[in-house]
């Protein structure tokens, strides 16, 4: 089984961060060059990269910030890194991957001491490398736990683009000798499911079917799928699943028709005890009036675009983490000593 194209979509160069433009994939494979942390933040906000892509973009955006601050005093450089981190975190506020990426770099800088110049850049680069390795290792573990929960022959409905979680789950299922197939929602308005998820699964040799977003409940009712599996942008300590808009509707339908819903997240967020602690991003409503740059609605109407929704724990069967599966009402135990 080959690794898919989207597995490496953010690359750090000597003078910039290159980000594969997922808005244009797979029809075009175009890289966006970001020479500054400000440009990285704009790329994240503008949806150049999605799912775990912003995490890696933030890691390497912090390296660009360190390069830019290398000539400053240690105190001023550290303040500049804080400012850069705040900018990156604010670029998409619902998913806490960005904060984790920023903290991974700052932790290594702080552990190195008050450094400037090349030492500062080296520390930030080490922090980014550590953050990259940690994320991939946790995603592999999460994928292994997820694959164990899927029966051989499982027909899986997924929503949006689960990125590393999805790739690692499919790879782990293959190692277990399990034959699984997927049904992907298209995921309006950016069509991540159609362009990213379905393409990646097909590249990995997985039997893949695409449906429109409005078909999900009907597919669940028909018995055509055995499990609903999505990533989670954030999971609260009381078991609420925050993910791409549309997840809630699928979860409610799955619950109604007796289909288990597995939500994947590396870890519940200790800073979010409840759903009220998670900021929900609202994007420009004009975005839903277009599809891939083509206007699909009259200029007589306006759009409304909450980018994420919140699924209550009663509609979630299992939350799968890098430490294994948890019932939604028990997921806070993730952070308790073993």
């Amino acid at each position: 089984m080959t690794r898919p194209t989207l597995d490496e979509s953010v690359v750090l160069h000597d003078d910039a961060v290159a980000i594969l433009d997922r808005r244009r994939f797979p029809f075009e494979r175009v890289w966006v060059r970001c020479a500054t942390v400000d440009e990285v933040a704009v790329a994240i906000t503008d949806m150049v990269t999605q799912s775990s892509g912003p995490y890696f973009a933030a890691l390497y955006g912090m390296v660009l910030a360190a390069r830019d601050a290398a000539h400053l005093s240690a105190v001023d450089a550290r303040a500049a890194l804080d400012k850069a981190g705040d900018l990156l975190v604010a670029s998409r506020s619902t998913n806490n991957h960005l904060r984790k990426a920023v903290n991974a770099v700052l932790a290594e800088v702080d552990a190195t001491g008050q450094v400037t110049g090349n030492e500062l850049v080296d520390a930030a680069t080490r922090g980014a490398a550590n953050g990259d390795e940690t994320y991939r290792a946790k995603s592999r573990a999460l994928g292994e736990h997820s694959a164990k929960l899927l029966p051989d022959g499982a027909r899986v409905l997924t929503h949006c683009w689960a990125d590393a979680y999805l790739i690692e789950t499919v790879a782990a299922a293959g190692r277990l000798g399990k034959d699984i197939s997927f049904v992907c929602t298209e995921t309006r308005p950016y069509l991540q499911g159609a362009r990213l998820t379905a393409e990646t699964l097909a590249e990995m040799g997985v039997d893949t079917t695409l449906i429109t977003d409005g078909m999900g409940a009907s597919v669940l009712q028909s018995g055509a799928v055995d499990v609903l599996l999505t990533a989670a942008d954030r999971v609260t300590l009381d078991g609420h699943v925050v993910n791409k808009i549309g997840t809630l509707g699928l979860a409610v339908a799955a619950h109604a028709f007796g289909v288990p819903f597995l939500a994947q997240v590396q870890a519940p967020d200790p800073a979010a005890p409840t759903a009220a602690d998670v900021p929900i991003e609202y994007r420009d409503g004009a975005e839903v009036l277009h599809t891939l740059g083509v206007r699909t609605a009259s200029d007589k109407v306006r759009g409304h675009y909450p980018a994420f929704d919140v699924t209550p724990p009663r509609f979630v069967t299992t939350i799968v983490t890098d430490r294994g599966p948890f019932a939604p009402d028990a997921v806070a135990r993730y952070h308790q000593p073993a």
Side-chain angles (χ1 to χ4, degrees), residues 25 35 58 91 108 158 160-161 167 183 210 230 235 254 258 304 327 335:
F25 186 90
S91 63
E108 183 63 27
T158 192
C160 202
W161 170 225
I167 292 169
V183 176
L210 182 69
T230 77
V235 169
H304 173 63
H335 295 292

Side-chain angles (χ1 to χ4, degrees), residues 6-228:
L6 285 174
D7 196 32
E8 297 288 347
S9 62
V10 180
V11 181
L12 177 66
H13 295 300
D14 290 340
D15 60 346
V17 172
I19 303 176
L20 182 65
D21 193 339
R22 292 180 173 178
R23 300 167 303 182
R24 301 166 71 174
F25 186 90
F27 312 111
E28 298 178 84
R29 302 195 179 188
V30 176
W31 292 81
V32 174
R33 179 181 180 276
C34 300
T36 66
V37 67
D38 298 74
E39 292 178 354
V40 171
V42 169
I44 294 171
T45 299
D46 288 351
M47 302 285 282
V48 171
T49 187
Q50 300 137 30
S51 191
S52 65
Y55 173 86
F56 296 105
L59 286 175
Y60 299 121
M62 289 296 289
V63 176
L64 295 183
R67 291 173 181 173
D68 190 53
H71 67 286
L72 301 175
S73 69
V75 172
D76 288 344
R78 185 60 177 78
L81 290 183
D82 276 336
K83 182 178 179 181
D86 290 343
L87 178 68
L88 290 166
V89 170
S91 63
R92 295 208 73 189
S93 58
T94 298
N95 189 314
N96 63 337
H97 282 167
L98 294 166
R99 189 174 300 280
K100 289 181 178 180
V102 169
N103 288 343
V105 174
L106 293 180
E108 183 63 27
V109 169
D110 290 343
T112 307
Q114 289 193 326
V115 291
T116 60
N118 289 336
E119 287 184 290
L120 174 68
V121 176
D122 289 345
T125 304
R126 285 195 306 273
N130 292 341
D132 186 309
E133 181 180 353
T134 297
Y135 188 91
R136 295 183 190 278
K138 286 180 176 290
S139 295
R140 283 193 297 273
L142 182 155
E144 290 170 358
H145 290 302
S146 298
K148 291 175 183 176
L149 297 176
L150 299 176
D152 187 23
R155 298 162 299 176
V156 182
L157 174 63
T158 192
H159 182 60
C160 202
W161 170 225
D163 208 335
Y165 299 174
L166 179 72
I167 292 169
E168 296 297 349
T169 298
V170 171
R175 291 192 294 270
L176 292 172
K178 293 183 177 182
D179 181 21
I180 58 176
S181 60
F182 277 81
V183 176
C184 307
T185 57
E186 63 182 356
T187 327
R188 283 271 295 137
Y190 282 92
L191 304 184
Q192 296 103 317
R195 297 181 301 98
L196 307 180
T197 309
E199 178 71 11
T200 293
L201 290 168
E203 285 185 3
M204 297 182 78
V206 176
D207 182 276
T208 305
T209 301
L210 182 69
I211 62 173
T212 69
D213 289 358
M215 297 178 187
S218 177
V219 168
L220 288 161
Q221 181 188 44
S222 71
V225 295
D226 304 300
V227 61
L228 171 64

Side-chain angles (χ1 to χ4, degrees), residues 285-299:
E287 294 181 38
V288 305
L289 306 178
H290 300 78
T291 302
L292 302 185
V294 177
R295 179 115 186 172
T296 53
S298 163
D299 59 8

